[in-house]
Amino acid sequence: MTLVLLTEQLLNGIQFGVMLFLMAAGLTLVFGVMGLINLAHGSLYMIGAFLCATVALATGSFWLGLVASLAGAAAAGAVVEIAVIRRLYDRDHLDQVLATFALILIFSEGTRWVFGSFPLFLDIPPVLQGAVTLPGGAEYPLYRLTIIAIGLLIAFGLYLLISRTRLGMRIRAGESDREMIGALGVDIRTLYTVVFALGAALAGLAGALVGAIQSVQVGMGEPVLILAFVVIVIGGIGSVKGALIGAILVGVVDTLGRILLPQFFALFMEASQATSVGSALASMAIYILMAIILAVKPQGLFSAGA
Amino acid sequence: MKKLLLAGLTGLSMTVGAAYAEPVKVGMITTLSGGGSGLGVDVRDGFLLAAKMAGNKDLEVIVEDDARKPDLAVQIADKMIQKEKVDVLTGIIWSNLAMAVVPSSVAQGVFYLSPNAGPSMLAGKGCHENYFNVAWQNDNLHEAMGGHASSAGFKNTFILAPNYPAGKDALTGFKRFYEGDVAGELYTKLGQTDYAAEIAQIRASDADSVFFFLPGGMGIAFMKQYAQSGVDVPVMGPAFSFDQGILKAVGDAALGVKNSSQWSKDIDNPANKAFVEAFQAEYGRLPSLYASQGYDTANLILSAMQKADVKDADAFRAALKEADFDSVRGDFKFDSNQHPIQDIYVREVIKEGDVLTNKIVGVGLEDRSSAYVGDCKL
């Protein structure tokens, strides 16, 4: 394991983490502010990817696709909030899980109905294609560096939004006491719709960004959703800062685990057996991480409610 | 002559002169949603096309979606066997699902005809008189690529596959006929979509070539990221990585890549010509090898129906074993473990107009059976 390879893998882990953050930020806001478990968050990610691919294919511009995915996912989020989610705030988590699971099925079938079962393709915009040489000699895809930059910018933007603006103040207030801010004359219904749409837009953005390096297909959101839940459990429910740190932690542990564990077992095992044992353990790594963190800090690293 | 007619009369509904009027009920469990649904859709479409072209009213097909979940597949299989009373099960794409469904199903007396998954377990020690594989044993296509890598002069190949039964069969198969060194060997998560970590390892190794088996969306993701990574080590793989369904999504990055397949749309025989034309006319897209496997599976059942009554299991099994149908891949017969003996071709990804597709450039393995046939007691 050379330093160059290690740098590259760290960047891979951070890039993966930043992408998870975009998913987890919305999820944790909705969970923290409204107390709602939204399993359909992954569907909004899928919608973002499909919209970006469709618009990019029709217009030839990735950037228009990106705008469309942001706007479209936010709109879809707002519609879903008004039509379905609004009725679920007062119910218990089991009802929310059932209803939002139904939404996953509806969105997946709907997307298949419109686009078919075959994956769509979305190319990286020409200016971001290819690899760049980093100081130290590592070559790294430019597009992945861009994802890292966009993710960190958005994390900073969210921080400013929540700590410096009136909307952010209301969001924070909603987290601690929703009846009280309602009594103070804040329009809770609109606030919730806005927060939900914001979370949806972030998920849509993540889908669009990732769609260009992976395949855009029905059901692409569910595996990411599970990881996003791991992230918010690690980071602490309702904390955007926790989501960022948890996401990067998960990204780095997962990536390095995939690389280092097989090599570790190869030290004292036969090669193909080592890859198989190492890969199996690597896929558990983040769950083990989650278990350890929960054992030490049951509320997560930066729980907002604690 | 009758065979020629059958193959030639594309799209015309004609009644096959069934000697036995007993209807056959086929239960198809395949992946129609979630990751890798394109594969199941192609198997289903190929199967239903053959049924439609034969126009045999005695063949009844029910299709259900397993969503690539083993537990769900087992449930559907139980329901189909106990409630729907199917005679034949087919359709499973993934080896982990096949391992969950096939052994218990054939033990209950139904036939299972695999249009895709061919795990090594079921070809060797776990073979069963009611289990037929119409596609290949999992190792086959990878074996051909291993041979190709050696003859192409590669000396240090990096190999990777998903961590599930077919992935292990793939790398075992590749190594069986590959004579050079292995620069690195990796198992990835099934359904994984980000390969940055693996690509970095390929870059850091001294590999002169990369062999990968990543079916469906996994392969698309890998190829796109590989093309962006700046690594210029040539890649190769089985047809699953470069088949019709995914070439469009991979794009020009796949151009010129060599891959192995038992089927290609340019195999020159009347059955294949009829199949490719009819498939395009019916569905408006080029068929994939999965579609060809579904199509052959249906035609195998139809051929057995002409000879035997499905309620007479011994006669029906014997009729299946004869494999008296015109396979779109040309020569096809069953070995004693009821897996195919067939040629495996080497194909190259080319562009026809603006459509990416494959062209045969050589034969990888001739009349290849499977490595596990000796372990099968049949």
Side-chain angles (χ1 to χ4, degrees), chain A residues 61 91 110 121 156 158 214 269 271:
Chain A
S61 161
R91 304 234 187 168
F121 75 112
F156 185 62
L158 267 181
Q214 300 176 359
M269 268 177 162

Side-chain angles (χ1 to χ4, degrees), chain A residues 27-100:
Chain A
L27 207 55
T28 205
L29 275 183
V30 169
F31 202 173
V33 177
M34 314 172 192
L36 178 99
I37 297 184
N38 177 23
L39 292 188
H41 204 63
S43 299
L44 297 164
Y45 170 87
M46 177 181 76
I47 288 174
F50 270 94
L51 273 177
C52 187
T54 313
V55 172
L57 197 64
T59 62
S61 161
F62 175 81
W63 306 108
L64 277 180
L66 205 58
V67 172
S69 69
L70 268 172
V79 169
V80 164
E81 201 274 341
I82 291 167
V84 183
I85 305 287
R86 193 164 272 192
R87 290 155 226 282
L88 299 171
Y89 294 131
D90 296 331
R91 304 234 187 168
D92 64 20
H93 287 328
L94 192 59
D95 288 359
Q96 298 170 352
V97 164
L98 268 179
T100 52

